[in-house]
Amino acid sequence: MLTLLKQFSEKRFAWFLLALSSLALESTALYFQYGMGLQPCVLCVYERLAIIGLFIAGIIGLLAPKSFIVRLIALILGLFSSIKGLLVSLRHLDLQMNPAPWKQCEFIPNFPETLPFHQWFPAIFNPTGSCNESQWSFLNLTMVQWLVFIFAVYIAILTILFISQIQKGRKQRRLFN
């Protein structure tokens, strides 16, 4: 099973799927903001950045999927992005499910001074909403609950792919040579 997954990760199609799925999620977020008028909060902006990290991981994997080092870099970036995205989504979910006056998110993103994404790309990374309010739901799950699920699925898939890269192949025993 792991050998098949490793072979699948050596094909461009696997990395194309990662890039395409994350691009679809980012496009959906922008549609919610500009098409439906939903206002993103600071944590939404951080979740968007995690999804962009997954997109970049997919692009890196697309560059040279046969190269072990390139696959490893793409998988590490993808895992890092999805784990950070899950942690932010869980914090966001906690703020929505257990609102309290002392539990608030900041109004301005806390990006490093050398990477002020909210100033460079305000159309994507400028927060204008509140973290405590849920503005959208589908199948009785809020947007943040969907993100927790999505990031958990990314983590599961990327972890299995990572394990398939580092496990040594078992040699088949032959009864007759």
Side-chain angles (χ1 to χ4, degrees):
M1 170 80 169
L2 290 177
T3 306
L4 289 174
L5 288 172
K6 183 177 181 182
Q7 290 171 354
F8 180 64
S9 71
E10 292 173 347
K11 295 182 174 41
R12 290 189 192 276
F13 183 71
W15 300 103
F16 175 75
L17 281 178
L18 177 62
L20 181 67
S21 66
S22 55
L23 182 63
L25 287 170
E26 193 65 38
S27 300
T28 302
L30 292 173
Y31 171 74
F32 284 154
Q33 180 177 356
Y34 293 107
M36 296 176 60
L38 304 180
Q39 300 303 314
C41 66
V42 169
L43 296 179
C44 296
V45 166
Y46 295 155
E47 292 157 351
R48 286 182 183 185
L49 190 58
I51 290 172
I52 289 175
L54 286 165
F55 175 75
I56 292 170
I59 296 299
I60 289 171
L62 265 171
L63 294 176
K66 297 280 186 196
S67 168
F68 174 74
I69 297 297
V70 171
R71 282 194 320 269
L72 211 55
I73 290 170
L75 284 168
I76 289 170
L77 176 61
L79 272 171
F80 177 78
S81 297
S82 54
I83 289 169
K84 290 296 273 186
L86 179 64
L87 293 174
V88 170
S89 297
L90 288 172
R91 178 173 174 235
H92 196 173
L93 185 61
D94 180 50
L95 288 173
Q96 286 186 355
M97 302 301 268
N98 305 307
W102 57 86
K103 289 182 0 183
Q104 300 288 326
C105 64
E106 56 270 3
F107 294 107
I108 299 172
N110 191 14
F111 293 125
E113 289 182 24
T114 55
L115 296 170
F117 292 117
H118 62 294
Q119 293 172 356
W120 293 348
F121 308 106
I124 300 173
F125 297 116
N126 189 26
T128 54
S130 170
C131 296
N132 295 344
E133 55 186 64
S134 175
Q135 303 176 35
W136 179 88
S137 68
F138 178 67
L139 299 176
N140 289 332
L141 294 175
T142 65
M143 188 182 310
V144 178
Q145 290 170 325
W146 279 108
L147 281 174
V148 168
F149 173 74
I150 289 166
F151 283 123
V153 168
Y154 275 125
I155 289 170
I157 292 170
L158 292 170
T159 300
I160 293 169
L161 284 174
F162 183 78
I163 291 170
S164 75
Q165 304 302 308
I166 59 175
Q167 69 99 21
K168 295 190 179 204
R170 294 173 50 188
K171 294 184 180 180
Q172 298 286 335
R173 287 187 176 185
R174 292 185 180 225
L175 190 54
F176 302 105
N177 288 334

